[in-house]
Amino acid sequence: MEKSSYEVKVGLAEMLKGGVIMDVTNVDQAKIAEDAGAAAVMALERIPADIRLYGGIARMSNPEMILKIKEAVSIPVMAKCRIGHFAEAQILEELGIDFIDESEVLTPADEENHIWKHDFKAPFVCGCRDLGEALRRIGEGAAMMRTKGEAGTGDIVEAVRHMRDVNRGIRRLQMMDKEELMAEAKRLGAPFSIVEIVAQKGKLPVPNFAAGGVATPADASLMMQLGAEAVFVGSGIFKSDDPASRAEAIVKAVTYYNDPAVLLDVSKGLKDAMVGKPAKELPDDEKLAKRGW
Amino acid sequence: MTRIGVLGIQGAYLKHEHVLKELGIQSVIVKYAAQLDKLDGLIIPGGESTVISRQLGFRLSWEDLYSFSKEKGVFGTCAGLILLGNGGSDPRVRQLGVLDAAIERNAYGSQIESFSEDVALSFDSKPFHAVFIRAPKILSWGKNVQVLATLKNRPVMIRQDKLLGAAFHPELTDDVRIHEYFIQMCEQ
């Protein structure tokens, strides 16, 4: 019996496809998310919009709070650790977390190095802005990628940019001669062995999800139509005026992402989405997507 | 020509579709009731059983799936097996109750308990590399249920007439024998 192989880690990411992973900060929210049809929940003390608001150092959440959420729901529970903070990741693994998000939403612990994720039994998801960043994280052992977007803004523009950048990078690789792949790997700053696989298969070797700025059913559909295989919703649900119905609407929008009749149906009657903040108006040092490389 | 659908509410449905296409089968992702009409079989994929259960009744009803599974071949993997079963689940997941077996959700614990293991198949001499992801357990099964694969003396793949259920994920490997077996079931 082989546990924690890369195949088994990526296997869980495969099972989350076509689903919505929702940020929750307590047991009540976790239950609302599960009832609404979330495929998994991300347990954290503050959603990204509040991390922006309160400032300070954003760290791994209190394990007790994560454990309470784990007990309350039957779906997979994820939690975030700081970039490079492998001790936080060890604690999350020890408490039996289903997926670890090495996340730019928390204050980075290491500005040069990410966690060596192959050493862990639990699978990891990491954010990326472009193909090079995605392949570096996969090289370190990430079993799932997601766009960074710009978390906590409710502005989808950065997630769109990141998804398009990754997909454009993949299409470029597919057009290249074998002789060109090494130079492209150098340009991307990506491991050559993974560059070769992507050039051959025309897709990342792990599922690629959307995250960072999803606030409406239409946002979720847009990301799915751009090639996301599932959607993370952070502040978008519990910062809105109607979390339960918005959560359910986004779940349906992901399943029926290419059916405008359903999208119209589920978008009607929702109360106000989160107010949000244009990502463009953020000063550079407040842009979370710039954390990590 | 045999046409097999894959229920496309949530989960690893594209992986199943990929295998069917490799085998030259006409395949469609099923999200609406009307799509069931011309199918000879349906795969209910792995994913989260709560999510699939919660969304049935929107564009595709329980009744549609129930009447389909009474006539045609249905193959449930992991979450799909739970939905086919008739007990052992929890109140968060409704079941079709067509397969006479009690299935316990997520019976091994959290993701770090997920595993792969070679299992013996009753219909082929070569073992099958089976990937178990937060897998369910088949707790009990009726007289009409045939055991096709076991792990530590417990069934992990079962069949009852035209219904097939696996606690693991044949769509995650390149081995197509179980899909071929299901296609033959649908063609009979």
Side-chain angles (χ1 to χ4, degrees):
Chain A
M1 182 175 295
E2 199 186 355
K3 286 186 183 177
S4 312
S5 61
Y6 195 54
E7 174 186 43
V8 165
K9 291 177 182 174
V10 177
L12 181 56
E14 294 287 348
M15 294 310 134
L16 296 171
K17 281 184 180 175
V20 182
I21 300 146
M22 302 182 192
D23 278 6
V24 296
T25 58
N26 57 46
V27 166
D28 288 343
Q29 288 183 356
K31 286 184 175 162
I32 290 172
E34 182 176 43
D35 279 351
V41 291
M42 175 77 70
L44 72 175
E45 271 158 346
R46 281 182 191 155
I47 53 177
D50 287 337
I51 290 175
R52 287 187 185 284
L53 199 64
Y54 293 106
I57 306 298
R59 307 180 178 92
M60 174 187 79
S61 296
N62 185 334
E64 201 168 319
M65 167 263 181
I66 300 170
L67 282 166
K68 277 186 189 150
I69 288 175
K70 244 177 84 73
E71 274 167 35
V73 297
S74 62
I75 53 180
V77 177
M78 305 185 174
K80 293 181 193 292
C81 72
R82 286 180 260 177
I83 290 174
H85 207 317
F86 50 83
E88 284 187 348
Q90 287 161 355
I91 294 168
L92 291 174
E93 177 172 283
E94 189 60 30
L95 72 75
I97 205 76
D98 293 303
F99 236 104
I100 300 173
D101 184 3
E102 187 184 17
S103 177
E104 69 283 1
V105 165
L106 305 184
T107 313
D110 190 328
E111 293 191 328
E112 298 202 1
N113 310 294
H114 285 70
I115 294 172
W116 184 251
K117 294 165 271 288
H118 283 298
D119 279 351
F120 285 78
K121 289 182 279 181
F124 277 76
V125 51
C126 289
C128 66
R129 284 163 297 181
D130 52 39
L131 184 62
E133 193 170 15
L135 302 190
R136 287 190 289 279
R137 296 295 85 77
I138 294 167
E140 293 157 358
M144 179 203 292
M145 292 309 306
R146 56 169 175 77
T147 57
K148 282 183 169 171
E150 193 53 46
T153 60
D155 188 349
I156 197 68
V157 66
E158 293 301 314
V160 168
R161 189 191 322 278
H162 300 161
M163 186 57 72
R164 283 199 184 276
D165 278 2
V166 169
N167 290 337
R168 193 182 312 116
I170 294 173
R171 288 196 299 271
R172 268 176 68 91
L173 282 183
Q174 283 180 284
M175 291 187 310
M176 286 182 169
D177 287 337
K178 281 188 195 122
E179 290 80 0
E180 296 173 304
L181 290 181
M182 187 60 84
E184 183 67 359
K186 183 183 172 197
R187 195 187 67 83
L188 291 169
F192 180 70
S193 57
I194 305 176
V195 168
E196 258 187 313
I197 293 170
V198 175
Q200 201 177 43
K201 298 205 166 173
K203 67 191 298 294
L204 294 183
V206 303
N208 190 21
F209 293 4
V214 177
T216 65
D219 289 345
S221 161
L222 175 67
M223 294 312 299
M224 291 294 289
Q225 293 192 57
L226 285 173
E229 296 174 292
V231 174
F232 283 83
V233 187
S235 317
I237 289 172
F238 290 100
K239 274 286 164 190
S240 74
D241 290 344
D242 52 352
S245 41
R246 180 164 297 267
E248 196 182 332
I250 294 178
V251 168
K252 291 200 167 88
V254 167
T255 299
Y256 295 91
Y257 66 91
N258 52 5
D259 181 341
V262 169
L263 296 171
L264 169 63
D265 196 11
V266 302
S267 301
K268 279 190 296 198
L270 289 180
K271 293 182 186 157
D272 285 346
M274 70 180 285
V275 176
K277 186 178 173 76
K280 232 182 197 170
E281 289 176 13
L282 294 173
D284 260 9
D285 60 352
E286 285 180 27
K287 285 187 177 148
L288 303 178
K290 288 198 181 297
R291 296 168 168 181
W293 58 280
Chain B
M1 188 175 181
T2 314
R3 283 173 57 97
I4 294 180
V6 186
L7 187 67
I9 304 287
Q10 190 270 326
Y13 53 85
L14 292 175
K15 287 269 173 192
H16 280 291
E17 189 203 26
H18 179 74
V19 179
L20 293 172
K21 282 192 170 150
E22 293 275 296
L23 292 171
I25 293 292
Q26 263 193 28
S27 168
V28 58
I29 301 294
V30 176
K31 299 189 186 197
Y32 307 88
Q35 291 175 295
L36 290 171
D37 289 350
K38 288 175 185 161
L39 296 179
D40 304 296
L42 180 73
I43 295 177
I44 306 180
E48 279 305 314
S49 53
T50 50
V51 182
I52 303 173
S53 166
R54 186 79 174 71
Q55 285 208 67
L56 283 174
F58 183 58
R59 290 293 187 266
L60 182 69
S61 72
W62 287 92
E63 293 69 30
D64 297 325
L65 273 191
Y66 182 82
S67 38
F68 185 88
S69 61
K70 283 290 180 188
E71 287 176 25
K72 307 283 179 63
V74 181
F75 178 21
T77 56
C78 198
L81 168 65
I82 296 166
L83 295 181
L84 288 177
N86 68 352
S89 182
D90 72 45
R92 288 174 275 216
V93 179
R94 195 172 148 184
Q95 291 174 294
L96 286 164
V98 288
L99 178 62
D100 187 12
I103 319 288
E104 184 189 3
R105 289 180 66 206
N106 191 21
Y108 296 88
S110 64
Q111 168 63 12
I112 47 180
E113 305 301 328
S114 294
F115 60 95
S116 61
E117 178 75 296
D118 290 352
V119 299
L121 301 176
S122 66
F123 56 87
D124 199 274
S125 58
K126 203 177 134 218
F128 193 93
H129 180 68
V131 182
F132 294 81
I133 307 290
R134 287 171 47 96
K137 263 185 194 165
I138 300 168
L139 299 178
S140 59
W141 55 100
K143 280 182 209 143
N144 299 331
V145 172
Q146 196 186 342
V147 175
L148 301 183
T150 55
L151 177 68
K152 293 181 179 159
N153 298 320
R154 184 187 285 279
V156 288
M157 183 159 74
I158 54 177
R159 174 180 178 177
Q160 177 188 321
D161 303 322
K162 282 191 148 190
L163 303 175
L164 180 66
F168 56 91
H169 294 281
E171 78 283 7
L172 292 183
T173 57
D174 293 329
D175 193 336
V176 297
R177 285 176 294 157
I178 292 173
H179 285 85
E180 282 174 332
Y181 180 86
F182 176 62
I183 293 163
Q184 281 167 16
M185 278 173 58
C186 296
E187 285 170 347
Q188 269 164 22

